Amino acid sequence: DGAAEPRVQPRPDGRLPALPPSTRRSMRPHRLRRRRGRPVLVASREPSAPDGLPPGPDGSPDTRSFAAQRRSQRWWRTSLIRRLVLGVLILLPSIVAANFMIDVLPHQGRIWIEVVIAIFFAALFGWISIGFWTALFGFLTLLIRRDSFAITAADHDSQAPLDATVRVAVIMPICAEPVERVFAGLRATERSLAAHSEAGHFDFFVLSDSADPSTWVHEEEAWFDWCRDVGGFGRIFYRRRRVRRARKSGNVADFCRRVGSRYRYMIVLDADSVMSGDAMVRLLRMMEARPRAGVIQTVPVAVGQRSMFARAQQFASRVYGPMFAAGLHFWQLGDGQYWGHNAIIRMAPFIEHCSLPRLPGRPPLGGEILSHDFVEAALLGRAGWELWLAYDLPGSYEDTSSSLLEEMQRDRRWCQGNLQHLRLLRMGGLVGAHRALFLNGVLSYVSAVLWFCFLALSTAEAIWEAVRPPDYFPSGASLFPQWPIWRPDWALALAGVTAAILFLPKVLSIFLLVVRGPGARAFGGIVRLSVSVLLEILMSSLFAPIRMVFHTRFVVTNLLGYTVTWRSSSRGDSETSWREAVRHHGLDTVVGAAWGLGVYWLNPSYFWWLTPIVAALILSVPTSALASRIRLGDRVRRLGLLVTPEERNLPPELQETARQLAHAADRRSLRAPSETDGFIRVVVDPYVNAIHRALLGPPRRLRADIAQRRRDLVQRAVASGPASLNPAERLEVLYDPQLVTDLHRRVWAEPDTDRAQRWGRPGAAAPI
């Protein structure tokens, strides 16, 4: 294909430079101590301040601890005031709403079930109020365009040369991800960065935990082709762990222990991440300008989606996301959060403070910490480091789930991980904002249980009032009876206030886009933008009750002790079949129909209040299946609906990603069916075989019985073909460079045409 000869310097043992020289550093996990019978995380060592911090207010060295210095910052005092205001804005209206709900109910809180209903309603009202006030203050921040605490202002001296010793590792931990998509995004990111004069400060790392032998080989081949095409040997690296301990957090920790001390920062990407070179350089300059910053998190924009469900999610993220992100920054300031990807991290404090232990007990609430990113952020904050959200930094992109069931698969893992955070709330020295973030993560799933209980109790009271005879003198003889009074006008007013809290931020988002944003034209014009928002509201209203049922099920099963299998999310466009939809939503449809019919039969007036919930559950099967359809999403796009500015004017990084994916698809179409199996490719293709052997290094000395068993594997594979080896046996062969060499030679030397064809070997060949 005209590519230049690879500029590779093999090691003396013949291995390729897949990793820089190891500079091992200890990364000891935190200890768990018990206080009053509960496990509490404590630091393995005392927090230490970095070198080169600014002096104290009088110019002399500041002898206070690093964590104490943090409390002297202006942003910290401002954040306390803002969070106090937020607490008041949430608490007082929730109390008023609960009292209003009591007045709406027929017995005005004189029976226990109404008191419980009011409590659940107050909790739910407070929960949605958090989002409302976050959006409102984000709206004001973006409207005024005056934020003295914006972290992006820290890179004002963008023309000053960077210190030559500054090194940044761009790492992408992956596990059984689509290889073509992973390397297309990485190639696009590296190409965008190469246009900057500061590109020499960055190295790229692909950190694989893939267990499938075919995927492993494809990753190696894709890495080598990338290095060959761009001359990237020595700055683009690949490592696959043999022992996959602690999933993603363990993969990152393994990298930090081995070579992390060679770098001052690391930028963490997800398997579907793409970043512009300008964004990465600006993140580096922000960290250099703010020596107290431990993490700077970007706000990734969802892009590249085609299904109806994913397009609605993508549109909502693009329209409402900037306002909510600005609101999060308004409350959090330097006590922000880390979302696990598309962020830059200061390496030294991460190594020192962010090694995670196993929680005592068995999963789901014990064992490995799953939602590790929030915990790592809390540990950095506890040590005195600042965490900032670069809410207005462009050039950060990611994919989103293509179907509701794919999203629920991801949420099931996150639910289990977030519930584990309940055990860390009493972590010693934890910053209050991070305790609140732990609770917020828990409530993002427990709120579904609250909503479900609220609906169940409301239904129970409505049925009870319909079937039992009225008791006008519940307290004994009295001159005046106590009439049960339903106030539908008050109920409508309360529903209107709730709807305003839910939907007013969406209206403000449209106003903000027109006045301060890219303008309605970037979304297809004001008419199409408004119709798209209405369509998104309709879809989110249909999906909300379905999510409620799923999240309630996740929380209950986790609390009962049932854990989940951690599987990688499917990337790209995956449609939900009708059979899958019936299997996952069929019971919800039956329950929703029975619920609606029962309420309609016993209390028709209350039925109409439940109609949005019941209708969504009854329609859950066609809603889930049809929303995952790519054809429907493409048709909506042709109408100009749910369109984002990135689709109308594709950024260069996304154009390059699409070009790389198209190129990979063309190459794949030219291969024979057998060549799509990575294990067969490493055995038959001399090019792939040489890459794999060079990455494995020299063979190990084996016991005689193990060596004989492996020779038997080779004999069986040659005689019966690749189908005779199961995945574990294929991995055993791939781990042994001598076996890989022997199997390659024997397949090419095999005179039996039928045996050779089982491997897809082109024709017969003379012995090698």
Side-chain angles (χ1 to χ4, degrees):
D1 57 0
E5 286 295 321
R7 296 183 299 167
V8 56
Q9 297 296 328
R11 296 176 180 176
D13 58 4
R15 296 186 64 189
L16 289 174
L19 274 182
S22 177
T23 54
R24 284 189 173 273
R25 179 175 174 180
S26 172
M27 192 172 177
R28 290 181 291 172
H30 291 253
R31 299 190 302 271
L32 280 165
R33 292 179 181 170
R34 289 191 171 272
R35 297 179 183 174
R36 298 180 183 177
R38 297 183 181 181
V40 180
L41 266 178
V42 296
S44 298
R45 59 183 71 86
E46 290 299 320
S48 59
D51 296 331
L53 284 179
D58 59 352
S60 60
D62 197 337
T63 58
R64 294 172 297 172
S65 70
F66 187 39
Q69 293 178 40
R70 173 182 168 277
R71 293 191 290 272
S72 66
Q73 302 298 304
R74 185 169 66 92
W75 68 263
W76 187 80
R77 296 189 294 271
T78 303
S79 69
L80 291 182
I81 298 173
R82 291 181 178 182
R83 293 165 196 168
L84 178 62
V85 171
L86 176 62
V88 172
L89 291 175
I90 293 172
L91 183 61
L92 293 183
S94 298
I95 295 174
V96 172
N99 289 327
F100 202 89
M101 171 58 76
I102 287 178
D103 292 335
V104 166
L105 295 172
H107 297 282
Q108 288 77 52
R110 292 190 296 270
I111 58 177
W112 69 268
I113 194 172
E114 292 188 347
V115 175
V116 177
I117 288 174
I119 292 174
F120 278 121
F121 182 79
L124 290 170
F125 194 90
W127 171 248
I128 64 174
S129 296
I130 296 175
F132 172 78
W133 293 114
T134 298
L136 181 61
F137 281 90
F139 168 78
L140 296 175
T141 299
L142 296 179
L143 183 66
I144 298 172
R145 285 185 175 176
R146 186 179 302 169
D147 185 2
S148 59
F149 295 106
I151 189 65
T152 48
D155 66 337
H156 56 277
D157 192 11
S158 59
Q159 302 303 318
L162 291 168
D163 185 350
T165 62
V166 174
R167 305 292 299 167
V168 184
V170 183
I171 69 171
M172 180 180 280
I174 59 175
C175 180
E177 305 288 354
V179 177
E180 293 177 354
R181 173 60 183 86
V182 165
F183 282 89
L186 281 171
R187 279 176 172 250
T189 300
E190 188 271 338
R191 180 169 181 146
S192 177
L193 181 63
H196 286 262
S197 58
E198 293 88 352
H201 295 277
F202 296 80
D203 290 341
F204 284 78
F205 292 83
V206 182
L207 308 176
S208 175
D209 267 352
S210 300
D212 177 66
S214 179
T215 302
W216 175 13
V217 174
H218 286 309
E219 289 171 356
E220 292 178 334
E221 186 180 2
W223 166 78
F224 188 87
D225 289 346
W226 178 22
C227 292
R228 180 201 60 189
D229 293 343
V230 301
F233 294 103
R235 61 183 180 87
I236 300 174
F237 303 100
Y238 172 83
R239 168 172 165 76
R240 179 186 175 276
R241 290 199 300 171
R242 290 196 179 193
V243 181
R244 302 182 301 149
R245 184 179 293 114
R247 300 184 177 90
K248 180 180 177 180
S249 62
N251 198 356
V252 175
D254 178 79
F255 163 79
C256 292
R257 281 191 295 267
R258 288 177 179 273
V259 297
S261 59
R262 301 175 65 92
Y263 298 92
R264 187 177 298 181
Y265 309 108
M266 65 176 174
I267 294 178
V268 184
L269 302 179
D270 212 352
D272 56 9
S273 298
V274 177
M275 289 190 73
S276 69
D278 183 65
M280 299 172 77
V281 171
R282 288 194 64 187
L283 285 174
L284 171 56
R285 290 188 174 278
M286 281 186 257
M287 291 294 271
E288 284 289 280
R290 196 133 192 168
R292 294 180 182 273
V295 174
I296 300 178
Q297 173 71 59
T298 68
V299 181
V301 176
V303 294
Q305 301 304 304
R306 295 181 60 193
S307 72
M308 186 68 176
F309 176 84
R311 291 190 60 76
Q313 299 292 99
Q314 176 179 284
F315 176 81
S317 170
R318 186 63 179 85
V319 175
Y320 318 136
M323 187 172 68
F324 279 94
L328 281 176
H329 174 266
F330 182 84
W331 304 120
Q332 295 172 351
L333 295 182
D335 287 329
Q337 58 204 74
Y338 167 49
W339 296 331
H341 59 92
N342 292 55
I344 188 169
I345 301 174
R346 196 176 297 269
M347 186 69 78
F350 186 87
I351 293 175
E352 183 174 358
H353 302 292
C354 294
S355 182
L356 303 180
R358 289 178 60 89
L359 294 175
R362 299 173 60 184
L365 299 184
E368 296 173 355
I369 297 177
L370 300 186
S371 295
H372 57 90
D373 38 17
F374 278 30
V375 180
E376 290 160 349
L379 293 174
L380 285 173
R382 183 177 68 168
W385 292 91
E386 300 172 4
L387 299 96
W388 291 91
L389 180 63
Y391 65 90
D392 55 349
L393 179 67
S396 180
Y397 309 101
E398 66 173 350
D399 292 347
T400 187
S401 303
S402 61
S403 67
L404 178 63
L405 291 183
E406 183 183 333
E407 182 188 88
M408 291 302 100
Q409 176 188 346
R410 179 203 63 189
D411 279 1
R412 189 177 184 187
R413 301 195 310 263
W414 288 359
C415 176
Q416 179 176 330
N418 286 9
L419 288 177
Q420 288 180 321
H421 294 167
L422 288 171
R423 308 187 64 184
L424 302 177
L425 284 174
R426 297 183 65 251
M427 187 190 306
L430 194 67
V431 177
H434 290 130
R435 296 186 200 273
L437 286 174
F438 281 168
L439 283 175
N440 185 76
V442 172
L443 283 173
S444 62
Y445 295 98
V446 174
S447 60
V449 181
L450 299 178
W451 187 17
F452 182 84
C453 292
F454 171 77
L455 292 173
L457 291 173
S458 300
T459 302
E461 183 178 23
I463 293 175
W464 177 250
E465 291 296 325
V467 300
R468 77 178 182 93
D471 183 5
Y472 299 112
F473 301 96
S475 303
S478 175
L479 294 176
F480 303 100
Q482 295 182 7
W483 303 94
I485 302 174
W486 289 98
R487 294 185 172 91
D489 53 337
W490 288 22
L492 285 172
L494 189 59
V497 172
T498 305
I501 290 177
L502 290 172
F503 298 119
L504 182 59
K506 300 179 185 288
V507 177
L508 295 178
S509 296
I510 298 178
F511 178 81
L512 195 62
L513 287 172
V514 174
V515 175
R516 292 297 192 190
R521 183 175 297 179
F523 294 86
I526 188 63
V527 174
R528 287 190 174 91
L529 174 60
S530 302
V531 174
S532 297
V533 169
L534 293 175
L535 179 59
E536 188 277 328
I537 290 174
L538 173 63
M539 294 183 64
S540 62
S541 300
L542 285 173
F543 289 129
I546 304 174
R547 289 189 176 104
M548 173 196 70
V549 173
F550 271 94
H551 289 174
T552 300
R553 190 179 297 133
F554 297 160
V555 172
V556 172
T557 53
N558 281 162
L559 294 179
L560 290 177
Y562 294 97
T563 187
V564 300
T565 302
W566 190 280
R567 298 175 181 173
S568 298
S569 300
S570 58
R571 312 282 180 180
D573 300 311
S574 58
E575 297 185 345
T576 300
S577 67
W578 287 100
R579 177 176 295 182
E580 286 181 307
V582 171
R583 182 163 63 92
H584 289 282
H585 303 289
L587 179 61
D588 300 341
T589 299
V590 173
V591 171
W595 185 10
L597 288 174
V599 171
Y600 183 78
W601 177 44
L602 296 170
N603 193 335
S605 61
Y606 181 69
F607 167 78
W608 301 109
W609 292 96
L610 283 179
T611 300
I613 311 296
V614 170
L617 294 178
I618 293 175
L619 296 173
S620 58
V621 170
T623 298
S624 180
L626 293 176
S628 70
R629 295 293 181 263
I630 297 173
R631 181 180 300 177
L632 183 58
D634 290 342
R635 187 173 301 173
V636 169
R637 179 178 180 178
R638 286 194 296 270
L639 293 175
L641 301 178
L642 301 179
V643 175
T644 62
E646 287 74 22
E647 288 181 306
R648 297 175 64 87
N649 186 18
L650 203 62
E653 298 78 26
L654 301 183
Q655 293 181 29
E656 179 63 18
T657 302
R659 191 185 73 82
Q660 292 289 345
L661 281 171
H663 179 62
D666 291 340
R667 293 179 59 184
R668 186 176 66 251
S669 65
L670 298 175
R671 292 175 178 172
S674 62
E675 291 182 305
T676 60
D677 188 319
F679 179 73
I680 295 177
R681 285 183 61 78
V682 84
V683 172
V684 177
D685 191 325
Y687 173 77
V688 181
N689 183 273
I691 294 172
H692 183 73
R693 284 189 290 110
L695 288 171
L696 286 179
R700 299 182 178 182
R701 304 180 69 178
L702 302 173
R703 291 200 327 250
D705 58 330
I706 297 177
Q708 182 59 47
R709 178 167 53 82
R710 292 186 175 182
R711 286 193 294 269
D712 293 342
L713 286 179
V714 172
Q715 181 63 33
R716 190 208 314 164
V718 174
S720 304
S724 64
L725 301 183
N726 61 38
E729 291 170 334
R730 292 186 176 196
L731 282 176
E732 190 170 5
V733 171
L734 290 177
Y735 279 131
D736 191 323
Q738 189 60 51
L739 257 63
V740 172
T741 302
D742 292 345
L743 186 56
H744 170 69
R745 290 176 174 173
R746 292 191 60 177
V747 166
W748 274 99
E750 178 58 51
D752 189 308
T753 305
D754 291 337
R755 291 183 176 183
Q757 287 179 347
R758 291 173 187 170
W759 287 95
R761 197 194 76 189
I768 298 177

